[in-house]
Amino acid sequence: MAKRVCFVHYHEIGLKGKNRSSFENQLVTNLHRALHEWPVDAIKRISGHILVSTEDGEATDEMAHAISRVPGVARVSLAYVCGLDQEEYCQAAVRALGEAGDFESFKVHARRSSTGYELHTLDINRLVGGVLCKEFPTKKVEMHHPDVTVCVYVVQGNVYVYADSMPGVGGLPVGTAGKVVTLLSSGFDSPVATWMVGRRGATCVPVHFSGRPMTADTSEWLCQDIVRALAPSGMVGRLYVIPFGQRQREISLAVPQSLRIITYRRVMFSVAERIARIEGAKALVTGESLGQVASQTLDNIAAVNEMVSMPVLRPLIGSDKQEIMRRAEEIGTYDISCQTADDCCTLFMPRRPETHARLDQVHEAWDSFDHNAMIDDLVDHLEYVDFDQCPSYRAPRSLKRRHRELGPRDEFPEGQAGEQ
């Protein structure tokens, strides 16, 4: 009986040059983390693919689904692994096609990674196709647009046979593009922005600005749920929480009402950049979409952007709300973001926020309170929750020394807070 394995395909990694092996090795590491609950026997590279085998030789659909959610994976196929015996891999092809569900047409697609096997790919196509035509006499052979393609891949002394593939999320393995700090709320936009940058290989460090103590801490718990929903991608290792409510109140009393939101965001960007420097991150990430709300006009974005010297990535800048919500459903954060929770975004909101801020007025409002002391105090009182889901995340040593008691609450059901 042929063993069943997960045959992992990647696309973009295959376009890399001399550093391709480092991308492949990182993907192998990330797959080990994603599959820690399964009885995995080995995960190894084989000629442009990743092979995942289990101790019992029976890889499952659930296991393939978990693999498909790891960035860097283009497709994953449940394949039968056989020797070079023709009868053995022909029977595996019969099994694979029989498990493909309802179909009317099929074709065979053979490949060899080397010329060491005596049969040419055309000969393998004819051999396997002839057997399948006998076993499935009512089905048609269609070379151009078949319902099912039976793949026969000869590589390193084995033959891998599969007929069904599950699409993956694509992109690059997390941990290959450096570290970024993302501004995370419990809404729809910022979790999607975080996921999109993580899918490009970045290790993400979310920072959530809570309305505490002026609001309940519900949004903090929703953000932790969002991080857990992103766990299959393995892109988040730590969530920072900044209690911002009292400072917002101080700002609301000091600056003109129309400039409150811009001032809030200037403080938030400044704090996020401080954390990024501590973490060794190279960029900030936001969920802003151009023109979606008052703070996301070009003038207001420019007024906030001048607070930081590092790049600010906005992966959703050209997306509309419907596109963002569809992506939230795909990545598993939609239902969490549907829950209402007061956070810093709902506190002390002006009736008529400025949509086209003038920098001279913004600077005047900025100088009306001691912003440097406020930023220092927010950084000094930051809190965090660690999550064991990102193999590429490394905590900063300086932060470990500075804080003895951290975390939004004393107990965390699944995440752990405090000194590491």
Side-chain angles (χ1 to χ4, degrees):
M1 181 70 72
K3 293 183 179 180
R4 208 179 193 198
V5 298
C6 286
F7 202 63
V8 181
H9 313 253
Y10 51 73
H11 171 65
E12 199 166 344
I13 295 174
L15 304 177
K16 301 298 179 183
K18 295 181 179 180
N19 61 345
R20 172 173 159 177
S21 62
S22 65
F23 285 83
E24 292 175 328
N25 289 334
Q26 185 65 56
L27 181 55
V28 169
T29 298
N30 295 349
L31 287 172
H32 273 292
R33 184 215 58 82
L35 298 174
H36 69 277
E37 295 181 355
W38 276 269
V40 173
D41 178 54
I43 302 177
K44 60 183 180 180
R45 300 184 291 157
I46 57 161
S47 188
H49 297 80
I50 305 292
L51 183 66
V52 182
S53 57
T54 60
E55 295 172 355
D56 58 4
E58 285 296 328
T60 62
D61 289 333
E62 293 77 14
M63 187 174 176
H65 178 70
I67 292 172
S68 72
R69 299 187 66 184
V70 177
V73 174
R75 288 184 296 124
V76 55
S77 308
L78 285 171
Y80 291 102
V81 55
C82 312
L84 297 178
D85 180 75
Q86 297 177 11
E87 183 177 352
E88 183 182 2
Y89 64 72
C90 284
Q91 288 305 307
V94 172
R95 291 180 63 188
L97 187 57
E99 295 168 353
D102 295 331
F103 68 96
E104 295 299 325
S105 61
F106 72 92
K107 78 170 184 179
V108 178
H109 177 69
R111 288 183 59 197
R112 297 183 304 173
S113 65
S114 67
T115 57
Y117 185 51
E118 65 270 14
L119 291 184
H120 190 272
T121 53
L122 294 178
D123 298 323
I124 299 173
N125 286 339
R126 283 191 289 266
L127 171 65
V128 176
V131 172
L132 293 178
C133 286
K134 292 180 182 178
E135 293 290 336
F136 300 90
T138 62
K139 308 301 182 182
K140 297 188 300 181
V141 175
E142 174 60 60
M143 300 307 296
H144 296 293
H145 301 288
D147 296 329
V148 180
T149 298
V150 178
C151 296
V152 182
Y153 188 28
V154 183
V155 55
Q156 296 181 5
N158 288 311
V159 181
Y160 299 90
V161 183
Y162 57 91
D164 189 24
S165 293
M166 183 181 300
V169 299
L172 296 171
V174 174
T176 59
K179 188 186 285 188
V180 298
V181 163
T182 75
L183 278 73
L184 180 71
S185 74
S186 59
F188 294 102
D189 301 347
S190 54
V192 174
T194 297
W195 183 87
M196 290 182 70
V197 174
R199 179 176 171 267
R200 299 305 306 159
T203 301
C204 297
V205 183
V207 177
H208 174 63
F209 288 84
S210 169
R212 179 159 54 93
M214 312 305 290
T215 68
D217 59 359
T218 308
S219 67
E220 302 170 26
W221 292 94
L222 291 179
C223 283
Q224 292 184 57
D225 290 341
I226 286 170
V227 171
R228 294 187 186 104
L230 297 177
S233 64
M235 61 182 60
V236 178
R238 171 174 288 184
L239 166 69
Y240 285 94
V241 175
I242 311 295
F244 192 38
Q246 181 60 41
R247 297 308 186 183
Q248 283 184 270
R249 182 177 182 276
E250 296 172 12
I251 292 171
S252 70
L253 295 174
V255 307
Q257 184 181 125
S258 61
L259 297 177
R260 285 179 189 172
I261 295 176
I262 294 173
T263 308
Y264 296 158
R265 292 191 65 79
R266 284 167 69 94
V267 172
M268 292 163 67
F269 270 49
S270 298
V271 172
E273 186 179 39
R274 292 274 195 95
I275 294 174
R277 301 293 184 197
I278 294 170
E279 283 279 352
K282 304 301 182 183
L284 303 183
V285 179
T286 76
E288 291 166 305
S289 174
L290 187 61
Q292 188 179 107
V293 295
S295 65
Q296 296 173 15
T297 64
L298 287 177
D299 291 322
N300 290 359
I301 287 174
V304 174
N305 235 39
E306 70 169 4
M307 293 308 302
V308 297
S309 58
M310 63 174 50
V312 180
L313 309 181
R314 296 177 170 89
L316 306 183
I317 197 68
S319 301
D320 62 36
K321 199 68 174 182
Q322 296 304 313
E323 293 171 324
I324 295 169
M325 292 171 73
R326 282 195 297 270
R327 180 57 64 87
E329 289 181 323
E330 293 173 9
I331 66 176
T333 61
Y334 178 86
D335 290 338
I336 302 169
S337 297
C338 281
Q339 302 178 52
T340 57
D342 290 333
D343 61 10
C344 71
C345 297
T346 62
L347 270 181
F348 309 111
M349 294 296 289
R351 288 189 298 272
R352 293 184 180 87
E354 180 61 66
T355 56
H356 299 286
R358 291 171 49 187
L359 284 179
D360 57 343
Q361 295 177 345
V362 172
H363 294 161
E364 183 179 354
W366 186 245
D367 292 335
S368 66
F369 66 100
D370 192 348
H371 48 265
N372 288 327
M374 180 179 292
I375 293 165
D376 289 340
D377 184 71
L378 289 170
V379 173
D380 286 340
H381 290 87
L382 61 79
E383 305 168 356
Y384 64 71
V385 188
D386 280 327
F387 296 85
D388 184 20
Q389 62 186 47
C390 182
S392 62
Y393 177 73
R394 298 292 181 270
R397 293 182 177 180
S398 60
L399 196 61
K400 292 178 187 177
R401 291 196 298 268
R402 289 181 62 187
H403 295 274
R404 292 178 298 173
E405 189 174 333
L406 302 174
R409 286 188 180 175
D410 293 331
E411 295 180 359
F412 296 88
E414 296 182 39
Q416 295 297 317
E419 241 178 331
Q420 301 299 304

